[in-house]
Amino acid sequence: MNKPGLLDRRQVLTGVGGAIAIAATPLPAFASQEDLDRARRELFGDRLIQEGRVTVKLPPIAENGFSVPLNVSVESPMVADDYVKRVAILSPRNPLPNIAQFHFTPQSGKAVVATRIRMSGTQAIQAVAEMNDGSLWSGSMETVVTLAACVVL
Amino acid sequence: MIRASLLLCVFAISACQEAAQPSQQSALTIEEIRSGYTFLTAETQALQDDPFANPGLLWVDRGAELFQSTIAGEASCASCHEEGLHGVAATYPAVDESSGVLLNLEGRINQCRTQHQSLDALAYESEELLALTAYIFNQSHGLPANVDISGPAEAAYQRGYDYFQTRRGQFNLSCQHCHTENWGKQLRGDTISQGHGNGFPAYRLEWQSLGSLQRRLRDCDTGVRAEPLPFGDPRYIDVELYLAARSQGLALESPAVRR
Amino acid sequence: MASIRLAVPKTAQSGDIIEIKALIQHEMESGFRRGSRGEVIPRDIIVRFECSFEGVQIFAADFHPAIAANPLLTFHMRAEKSGRLLFEWTDQNGETWRDSADLEVI
């Protein structure tokens, strides 16, 4: 017999189980290396990507994943017949593999860009650059993202 | 998982208290006082020091506009405070002479609005109040806190001190336990700071926004699993006064960048 | 209303590569966070930034939710003549914010 106002054992167990299930489920399914590869194929197709010419700079340790300084530079003279068209920034561990895409022109003068990004955990950020001749180059860097002492969200 | 490991860490600190290490101290000495800035990584320090990219300056800019602007035909802040408010924020919280009430800068701004400008008080953490507070605090950048804790402020200072010393929340920790007795130690990825308020209003990376010192105090209370006080509660203003006096000459850094 | 901060040198020599910085106040709500009642906070982000000089695009960026709140961009331009730089941010709903800065080439 159920007393009004009191929870029976089943209700309590379902409630507790549900709460645990919610607490244990990270909201987004996090991306993986396969997701990064897929995102890269969507941007650049199956063309060959060579390592080099692209330098990714991140701090060795990021004290908060909400705002990590990122600097990407690509070796290029940035003149009308030899320049960087675009650079894609990709993550193997964020909820989404795409972070940003930067579009340059010969008037950019140099292919260097800096911004601040979100990183959900320690990972290697990859940058892929497409030159005006269609060739693709990449570089990457890993950063350790630490966990804050008192997480209050 | 994150919650669980946090619990463990904080219990570890609680356990430290029981062990009563002889080196633990009950007050900070002048020589060891350090701003929260010194606990940041070089990259975060550089962001605070950048006169362009410090994101807190977005609020300072907005505050400068609001300070000059006329709202609903009422006098602007600048029409009374023509010379600006250099050094003024450093003296807050301060006892209001007419009412005898301890006011922080947010309270003083709202008093101006309601008594002299016939405007509504601004809510805590509203963009406008944060902007005005940051703009006025920024005019005391580099100066040490210069609060009066004598006379009518003495009782408020004592209440703030008591709040800081009192165990609270499910973790049964006082502010003192982390920020006076265990600063410099690791708590997960963080180094525990001395808990000074000299950078506030500050841009916290965790908030991804500028926020008031009271928002920070609420986070600390929540962190030890205590019920935080409402924004603007007089008990938090007492704590603000105690913190300003406790920081013993540290330069004000608002808008600072903090974790 | 979004606050914008621009850092553009007032003058440059012809042929100089100048550094440009642009900062805008925006929460860049990722769509992956939950509120205090467990509800998902809807995504609200800037998706596009463009910088042009006298009508010619210099630099552009596409943003995803992993760009930090209050987006900051540092990029460059080869200065060849005097003129006006235009900066434009567009959010996911098509709302735009604009600002400009003048450059004198001497």
Side-chain angles (χ1 to χ4, degrees):
Chain A
M1 185 184 95
N2 263 343
K3 290 181 187 167
L6 286 180
L7 296 167
D8 72 13
R9 186 165 168 268
R10 178 168 298 166
Q11 279 178 304
V12 169
L13 286 176
T14 330
V16 168
I20 289 172
I22 288 169
T25 311
L27 178 61
F30 285 86
S32 62
Q33 186 62 43
E34 291 75 54
D35 294 315
L36 187 157
D37 294 343
R38 192 178 315 119
R40 198 173 50 197
R41 271 198 305 277
E42 281 168 13
L43 288 167
F44 301 108
D46 284 322
R47 289 182 279 157
L48 172 72
I49 300 175
Q50 305 172 75
E51 270 190 44
R53 292 182 67 174
V54 180
T55 305
V56 179
K57 279 191 222 157
L58 290 162
I61 293 177
E63 59 192 335
N64 188 307
F66 280 132
S67 179
V68 186
L70 167 78
N71 181 298
V72 179
S73 55
V74 187
E75 287 170 34
S76 164
M78 297 302 279
V79 291
D81 58 357
D82 187 1
Y83 66 96
V84 181
K85 277 174 68 179
R86 56 176 173 151
V87 176
I89 313 298
L90 300 164
S91 157
R93 200 179 161 181
N94 279 5
L96 296 170
N98 288 307
I99 293 178
Q101 202 174 175
F102 302 114
H103 305 271
F104 297 92
T105 64
Q107 288 74 33
S108 303
K110 58 179 170 178
V112 178
V113 60
T115 188
R116 300 183 73 92
I117 65 169
R118 293 173 172 146
M119 293 176 67
S120 64
T122 297
Q123 56 182 302
I125 297 295
Q126 190 182 44
V128 180
E130 182 181 34
M131 309 297 172
N132 66 313
D133 65 4
S135 67
L136 301 171
W137 298 83
S138 78
S140 70
M141 176 153 175
E142 184 174 85
T143 289
V144 174
V145 178
T146 62
L147 291 169
C150 301
V151 181
V152 180
L153 290 176
Chain B
M1 271 300 272
I2 289 175
R3 299 254 158 85
S5 57
L6 174 61
L7 280 171
L8 284 176
C9 289
V10 176
F11 280 134
I13 284 211
S14 307
C16 285
Q17 299 311 311
E18 309 298 333
Q21 295 164 11
S23 64
Q24 283 173 358
Q25 47 186 130
S26 59
L28 300 168
T29 64
I30 286 273
E31 295 74 35
E32 68 191 4
I33 288 229
R34 287 169 54 184
S35 169
Y37 176 88
T38 65
F39 294 90
L40 303 172
T41 61
E43 291 81 14
T44 309
Q45 290 180 342
L47 184 64
Q48 174 173 326
D49 294 337
D50 191 321
F52 173 79
N54 176 337
L57 295 172
L58 289 164
W59 281 262
V60 174
D61 287 354
R62 176 100 175 98
E65 284 170 24
L66 288 170
F67 198 81
Q68 298 292 335
S69 64
T70 306
I71 306 161
E74 298 296 335
S76 70
C77 308
S79 61
C80 285
H81 307 287
E82 288 173 6
E83 307 287 311
L85 292 165
H86 179 77
V88 170
T91 64
Y92 277 81
V95 174
D96 175 50
E97 280 180 21
S98 59
S99 64
V101 172
L102 185 73
L103 292 178
N104 57 8
L105 190 62
E106 288 88 343
R108 186 67 184 81
I109 291 168
N110 274 334
Q111 191 187 55
C112 260
R113 289 176 62 88
T114 53
Q115 291 186 3
H116 305 308
Q117 296 175 293
S118 306
L119 297 170
D120 290 336
L122 294 167
Y124 262 87
E125 309 312 291
S126 63
E127 287 294 306
E128 292 90 346
L129 188 57
L130 283 174
L132 282 168
T133 317
Y135 172 63
I136 296 168
F137 258 103
N138 193 232
Q139 293 174 57
S140 293
H141 192 274
L143 300 174
N146 181 27
V147 289
D148 187 354
I149 55 167
S150 64
E154 199 179 336
Y157 171 85
Q158 188 59 44
R159 287 192 301 269
Y161 171 83
D162 290 344
Y163 192 96
F164 198 84
Q165 308 288 330
T166 304
R167 288 180 181 269
R168 65 191 70 247
Q170 290 173 320
F171 292 167
N172 203 28
L173 288 168
S174 74
C175 313
Q176 171 91 358
H177 286 136
C178 282
H179 297 295
T180 306
E181 298 176 8
N182 283 293
W183 66 268
K185 293 182 185 168
Q186 298 298 124
L187 193 53
R188 301 218 297 184
D190 281 354
T191 307
I192 304 171
S193 79
Q194 293 180 347
H196 298 298
N198 62 315
F200 286 80
Y203 188 91
R204 286 193 71 218
L205 301 180
E206 185 179 308
W207 294 337
Q208 310 181 66
S209 170
L210 195 83
S212 67
L213 182 53
Q214 292 215 0
R215 182 173 178 190
R216 186 71 192 85
L217 295 177
R218 283 171 55 87
D219 277 8
C220 263
D221 274 342
T222 309
V224 297
R225 304 296 183 262
E227 183 71 30
L229 302 177
F231 277 112
D233 192 292
R235 287 168 286 179
Y236 272 160
I237 304 177
D238 295 342
V239 176
E240 288 187 58
L241 179 67
Y242 169 67
L243 284 176
R246 177 178 177 268
S247 70
Q248 297 185 65
L250 277 183
L252 298 181
E253 298 173 13
S254 182
V257 178
R258 294 290 183 263
R259 289 185 298 243
Chain C
M1 197 205 88
S3 274
I4 291 171
R5 287 172 73 82
L6 300 176
V8 180
K10 286 201 164 49
T11 60
Q13 305 277 344
S14 180
D16 278 0
I17 294 171
I18 59 169
E19 184 184 74
I20 297 168
K21 293 186 192 181
L23 177 65
I24 187 168
Q25 186 176 13
H26 194 285
E27 291 179 354
M28 293 296 285
E29 188 60 57
S30 68
F32 295 118
R33 299 202 303 168
R34 286 185 190 270
S36 54
R37 289 174 191 81
E39 77 285 9
V40 173
I41 306 170
R43 180 168 301 167
D44 180 8
I45 65 167
I46 289 171
V47 294
R48 178 82 174 169
F49 167 81
E50 290 179 13
C51 174
S52 63
F53 178 76
E54 296 293 322
V56 178
Q57 185 174 301
I58 300 300
F59 174 85
D62 302 313
F63 289 166
H64 296 276
I67 293 297
N70 306 306
L72 167 68
L73 279 169
T74 306
F75 54 94
H76 300 81
M77 182 182 94
R78 184 178 285 114
E80 281 163 349
K81 57 178 183 178
S82 299
R84 175 162 290 188
L85 282 149
L86 281 178
F87 301 79
E88 183 177 281
W89 291 261
T90 306
D91 77 4
Q92 61 192 42
N93 304 316
E95 188 179 351
T96 58
W97 298 271
R98 289 188 189 89
D99 205 347
S100 65
D102 291 326
L103 174 74
E104 189 189 351
V105 170
I106 46 179

